[in-house]
Amino acid sequence: KFAGGCTWDGEVRAVDQLIALGGGRSVGELSPARSGSMDRSGARLLVCFLTVLIWVHEIPAVNDTHITARTLSPCYSANFTPASDRLISAVGCTVVFSPPGLNFSTGIVRWDYKNVSSTDILSIIVYFKEQSKVDLHPSYIGNVEFSKTHWTLQIKLQLGDGGMYSFRTSSHETKWFQLEVIEPLSQPELRSNSSLVGSTTEFVCKVPVGKVDSYQWKKDGKHLPEDSRFLLFQNDSILCILNTTLSDNGVYTCEVGNQVSWNETSLKLVIQNPSNVVVGVVMVIGIVVVLVAVLYVSRKHLKCPTQCYCGHSAHRHCFPGGRSSEQGEHPHGDCREQMSSSSGTPETTVALLDRNPLDSERHPNQASAAS
């Protein structure tokens, strides 16, 4: 930055300028003998060393103090203790990042983010202190709050917020802080198959949402009995009971958990004896057969056509709607003779013509003629 070239004169001028900045004597003020005895390689080394010091002074320095972060309550089973290097939290929870204690009056405050597997840096917040202006990245609108007083960053977590976070100003920069975001577990779905004595009963525990770290099985609220017939498969998500007996009856519970949450569900198992099952099936079939027979007989004997039987053919009169009465108890209506469909001769069966009961009062002549 200061040297005018790679010549001796340029190096001397650069050294003179650097020494003058520090208030010392320049090389030109030295005696010719002493200045002539300066080794050129030493001058070059001095110039490079001082230049590097100035360059380092002008870039942001990495502060020994780390970022601290904590999860705000409530948040499932997440740890609420502040962390300085790495924090594990859950989707939907709120995390607050706090910067180290830095004092400066002017400049820029910035919160940066990068993915663990990437070198691309995204600036979440850029705060211009002199103008009191905050620039927020569009993808964080609605999920981020920034304090102009304490420079804290508050984020309502989504699954994609896991990664590395850093805080920096015009003169300082912190180390990267790692945040891991885990999805909390939903309630497990528990199902089983056969429940007959002597068969193999299988329980399958499945979690629709979230990644399970551990499975635990219980029977009637206690750990499974130490029995070789109880077997676990697929990371303990499947429980098999071999050669089931009546003693295996009970409530079975599947408990699941990860670093931020846990959940459980239960299912009652009832072991049945095969002989009892056969008896039950036979009884059900018998009841169904009896009901069908009763219904058939009822429909055959109780169903009544829209006719009345007069004269010598019958002693019962049938009326619309399935009602009937003894001969001579005709409803309000007219009967007329019909022809037999088989022989073509008149029969005593006559059709009932529905009529309003009030018609006999309104038209007495017609009623008497019909009778």
Side-chain angles (χ1 to χ4, degrees):
K1 175 177 287 190
F2 291 94
C6 295
T7 62
W8 165 249
D9 293 336
E11 293 169 351
V12 171
R13 287 196 300 272
V15 172
D16 287 343
Q17 295 178 27
L18 294 173
I19 295 177
L21 290 174
R25 298 175 61 188
S26 67
V27 176
E29 295 177 351
L30 299 175
S31 63
R34 296 183 64 181
S35 62
S37 63
M38 177 177 283
D39 184 77
R40 296 192 176 190
S41 61
R44 291 192 182 96
L45 181 61
L46 178 61
V47 170
C48 293
F49 176 73
L50 295 177
T51 303
V52 168
L53 288 179
I54 296 173
W55 176 73
V56 170
H57 176 74
E58 291 184 347
I59 64 173
V62 176
N63 199 288
D64 292 337
T65 308
H66 298 270
I67 294 173
T68 58
R70 63 188 179 93
T71 302
L72 299 183
S73 178
C75 178
Y76 305 97
S77 302
N79 186 6
F80 303 124
T81 305
S84 58
D85 293 315
R86 181 172 179 264
L87 179 69
I88 299 176
S89 193
V91 173
C93 298
T94 300
V95 167
V96 177
F97 294 94
S98 299
L102 300 175
N103 295 320
F104 68 98
S105 57
T106 62
I108 298 175
V109 172
R110 187 189 304 267
W111 281 99
D112 294 332
Y113 166 84
K114 71 175 182 178
N115 194 284
V116 177
S117 59
S118 175
T119 58
D120 297 334
I121 298 177
L122 181 148
S123 293
I124 303 173
I125 288 283
V126 179
Y127 172 51
F128 301 89
K129 189 175 181 181
E130 293 178 344
Q131 296 84 5
S132 188
K133 177 185 175 183
V134 177
D135 286 345
L136 175 63
H137 193 277
S139 62
Y140 287 88
I141 294 177
N143 290 331
V144 166
E145 293 183 10
F146 175 74
S147 172
K148 295 182 180 179
T149 304
H150 303 96
W151 306 335
T152 57
L153 179 68
Q154 181 173 307
I155 304 178
K156 187 174 182 179
L157 298 179
Q158 301 177 4
L159 191 59
D161 290 329
M164 311 295 292
Y165 290 81
S166 175
F167 173 84
R168 57 175 171 157
T169 66
S170 302
S171 57
H172 294 80
E173 181 178 0
T174 65
K175 294 182 179 180
W176 289 97
F177 182 96
Q178 183 178 359
L179 173 66
E180 185 176 354
V181 181
I182 299 177
E183 197 167 18
L185 302 175
S186 63
Q187 186 175 19
E189 297 176 355
L190 185 59
R191 57 182 177 84
S192 65
N193 59 347
S194 174
S195 57
L196 297 177
V197 171
S199 64
T200 298
T201 299
E202 180 183 86
F203 289 95
V204 178
C205 186
K206 183 179 179 182
V207 179
V209 179
K211 183 180 179 181
V212 181
D213 292 338
S214 63
Y215 291 87
Q216 293 289 336
W217 291 90
K218 292 183 178 180
K219 178 190 175 185
D220 297 329
K222 300 178 182 179
H223 291 291
L224 294 178
E226 296 182 0
D227 194 327
S228 59
R229 296 183 301 111
F230 290 80
L231 303 177
L232 297 175
F233 300 95
Q234 294 187 11
N235 297 326
D236 299 345
S237 64
I238 297 179
L239 169 64
C240 287
I241 306 177
L242 305 179
N243 192 22
T244 55
T245 64
L246 295 178
S247 62
D248 296 327
N249 286 330
V251 178
Y252 288 80
T253 302
C254 174
E255 297 180 353
V256 295
N258 59 16
Q259 292 176 291
V260 297
S261 65
W262 73 276
N263 218 323
E264 66 177 13
T265 190
S266 300
L267 182 64
K268 185 175 182 180
L269 177 64
V270 179
I271 304 298
Q272 298 179 349
N273 195 310
S275 59
N276 296 336
V277 174
V278 173
V279 172
V281 172
V282 172
M283 291 180 61
V284 171
I285 294 177
I287 293 174
V288 171
V289 171
V290 171
L291 291 177
V292 171
V294 170
L295 181 61
Y296 175 77
V297 173
S298 300
R299 291 177 59 87
K300 181 177 180 182
H301 291 280
L302 297 180
K303 184 177 180 182
C304 189
T306 309
Q307 290 182 344
C308 64
Y309 298 89
C310 307
H312 302 287
S313 299
H315 299 283
R316 184 175 294 275
H317 304 280
C318 296
F319 309 118
R323 295 177 298 110
S324 63
S325 67
E326 295 298 330
Q327 185 176 0
E329 298 178 2
H330 293 283
H332 296 284
D334 296 332
C335 289
R336 63 184 178 183
E337 189 174 79
Q338 288 185 337
M339 299 296 294
S340 173
S341 58
S342 58
S343 61
T345 59
E347 289 187 351
T348 56
T349 302
V350 292
L352 173 65
L353 304 180
D354 293 333
R355 198 177 63 178
N356 193 322
L358 297 179
D359 290 345
S360 60
E361 299 178 1
R362 296 174 183 174
H363 309 284
N365 296 330
Q366 294 181 7
S368 59
S371 59

